[in-house]
Amino acid sequence: MTSFVRKDVASNTAAEARREADEPHSPVVRFGTGAPLRLDAGVELNHLQIGYQTYGEPNAAGTNAVLVCHALTGDQHAASLNPVTGKPGWWETMVGPGRPIDTERFFVICANVLGGCMGTTGPASTNPETGRPYGLDMPLVTIRDMVNAQAMLLDHLGIEKLLCVAGGSMGGMQVLQWAASYPERMFSAMPIATGARHSAQNIAFHEVGRQAVMADPDWRSGRYLAEGVTPHRGLAVARMAAHITYMSDQSLHNKFGRRLQNRAMPTFGFDADFQVESYLRHQGESFVQRFDPNSYLYVTRAMDYFDLAADYGGVLANAFRGSKTRFCVASFTSDWLFPTEDSRAIVHALNASGASVSFTEIESDKGHDAFLLEEPQLFAIARGFLDSAARALGLPAGRSE
């Protein structure tokens, strides 16, 4: 296959990954050997490090904290410039002054997930016991492990209870796990474009991506950082394949159709003749600049393992039994990665458990990525839900009320 990723970009990738993995451009908490994290894999993770960002200020009563959980390839920079790419935060449409998650009103926390590569312990992090990157010596992690690490961070920050936990896709999985594991620590929950388990189709897509990474000769059985190379070609292909699942057929048609890229006729070769090909190649190339390949393996595996009902006798409602948390569940009509039926299953389980839940299916042609984009209906729903939760806890009104 012709490589479309520049070599200088590839070399910079490893350097950036190493710097952000150990010394992120964000606050960081380091837990010593006296505070290990017990993982679902059955081992203890010592020397846990968590990179995070906060926005806004906590109020005196400690009732205005909102935890934002990021999706698969996101990070703690929800509403701040990404230090690697220089691009705006991944959820600046939702988080910020006057936004639905209003940082003039709420104290917002977003942590890089366990297994990530932006300051929280993951395979790109240096193992203090060896002085080398963990690589595949890092134990596999689960969504519950991610949530337990976040709970440790909140304990460190002195936050006993959250006004809300919110997130989409893998972030929504974390929201659901929070509701099951720590119902007493959250007043409300907003899982968006997500499911209570990963489908066989989604596991299959992830396996294609992982195999693309591991088939790259520069993967070196996961030891590429120690050997000074990066499997950028494999990771770029994995990203290209995944990105297709984040969009809808209609959004791809609207954006590209069958239009050619800077040419009047096909080249009758394997260059990027079509605009959609060029777009996917750009997505792959830009992704390798900011994400660690082994982290991609780890976080996709964590999503695959997620099946909340399995921990509760196969009955999803049992995960929320007795919960006093308020829920707002949202899906999108064109999302085929996490279709509305996945959200309805969550809503039915919440209803069966006696929980308070509202649900909306938002008309959109943007596919799964709609939760990250300009969707006025989502903004209105999120704002109304958070305003209602804030009023119930006696918080002052926001600028929109």
Side-chain angles (χ1 to χ4, degrees):
M1 185 186 78
T2 300
S3 174
F4 50 87
V5 180
R6 287 168 37 196
K7 294 296 184 182
D8 59 332
V9 169
S11 62
N12 287 339
T13 302
E16 289 293 343
R18 296 297 299 121
R19 284 194 288 269
E20 289 300 317
D22 291 332
E23 299 291 340
H25 287 75
S26 70
V28 63
V29 175
R30 296 179 176 89
F31 297 93
T33 55
L37 175 63
R38 182 73 178 179
L39 301 176
D40 281 343
V43 298
E44 289 187 346
L45 180 63
N46 290 302
H47 310 289
L48 173 64
Q49 175 173 302
I50 301 176
Y52 69 99
Q53 282 283 13
T54 64
Y55 310 92
E57 299 294 335
N59 63 10
T63 56
N64 71 332
V66 175
L67 178 67
V68 166
C69 302
H70 70 72
L72 180 69
T73 61
D75 50 48
Q76 64 269 45
H77 301 285
S80 50
L81 290 180
N82 185 291
V84 176
T85 66
K87 294 181 179 179
W90 57 267
W91 224 11
E92 285 198 340
T93 55
M94 185 75 79
V95 180
R99 298 289 188 177
I101 303 177
D102 190 349
T103 53
E104 294 178 336
R105 190 181 187 193
F106 306 126
F107 178 53
V108 181
I109 310 104
C110 185
N112 188 214
V113 297
L114 185 67
C117 52
M118 291 289 285
T120 297
T121 302
S125 305
T126 299
N127 181 348
E129 296 179 1
T130 66
R132 298 188 299 271
Y134 277 101
L136 297 194
D137 290 337
M138 171 85 184
L140 288 183
V141 301
T142 65
I143 299 296
R144 182 163 51 191
D145 294 332
M146 295 175 182
V147 166
N148 288 339
Q150 291 163 1
M152 291 176 66
L153 170 64
L154 295 184
D155 290 342
H156 174 83
L157 297 176
I159 299 172
E160 296 181 5
K161 188 164 184 175
L162 295 157
L163 169 67
C164 187
V165 184
S169 193
M170 188 183 81
M173 290 179 170
Q174 294 165 64
V175 174
L176 296 174
Q177 187 66 64
W178 261 97
S181 296
Y182 300 100
E184 75 286 350
R185 296 194 68 169
M186 54 194 297
F187 184 77
S188 65
M190 196 159 45
I192 305 168
T194 194
R197 65 177 181 178
H198 222 205
S199 70
Q201 176 177 263
N202 289 348
I203 294 171
F205 279 122
H206 276 173
E207 176 62 2
V208 170
R210 288 191 292 265
Q211 287 299 322
V213 172
M214 293 187 287
D216 189 317
D218 285 338
W219 185 59
R220 308 284 178 92
S221 298
R223 297 187 299 271
Y224 53 87
L225 286 176
E227 297 187 16
V229 295
T230 306
H232 54 271
R233 294 180 295 272
L235 182 61
V237 171
R239 178 61 171 182
M240 289 168 67
H243 198 78
I244 297 169
T245 71
Y246 304 151
M247 303 181 72
S248 69
D249 178 59
Q250 188 62 48
S251 65
L252 284 168
H253 175 76
N254 292 344
K255 194 176 183 71
F256 307 108
R258 290 181 51 82
R259 292 185 292 277
L260 298 177
Q261 176 71 18
N262 298 328
R263 65 203 65 189
M265 296 290 291
T267 62
F268 293 96
F270 295 104
D271 194 8
D273 277 358
F274 294 94
Q275 288 182 6
V276 67
E277 293 175 307
S278 179
Y279 170 76
L280 288 176
R281 293 186 183 195
H282 170 73
Q283 289 295 321
E285 182 174 344
S286 60
F287 185 60
V288 303
Q289 297 178 48
R290 68 177 181 86
F291 210 83
D292 176 68
N294 278 341
S295 279
Y296 192 79
L297 305 184
Y298 276 69
V299 292
T300 57
R301 204 51 161 168
M303 288 187 73
D304 292 349
Y305 283 154
F306 187 65
D307 183 357
L308 191 56
D311 295 326
Y312 296 89
V315 180
L316 184 58
N318 290 342
F320 310 115
R321 192 74 63 188
S323 176
K324 295 181 174 59
T325 302
R326 299 182 178 190
F327 291 84
C328 177
V329 181
S331 69
F332 300 93
T333 55
S334 58
D335 184 352
W336 58 277
L337 196 63
F338 287 97
T340 292
E341 62 189 65
D342 290 354
S343 290
R344 290 193 188 279
I346 296 168
V347 173
H348 292 158
L350 289 167
N351 284 331
S353 72
S356 171
V357 56
S358 60
F359 168 66
T360 184
E361 182 184 30
I362 298 170
E363 186 75 30
S364 171
D365 66 359
K366 297 184 179 72
H368 181 62
D369 264 358
F371 79 95
L372 297 170
L373 305 173
E374 289 287 342
E375 283 290 351
Q377 189 176 351
L378 174 63
F379 301 162
I381 290 166
R383 188 186 300 277
F385 178 71
L386 283 170
D387 285 347
S388 176
R391 284 196 302 271
L393 292 183
L395 270 66
R399 66 164 78 170
S400 64
E401 293 183 275

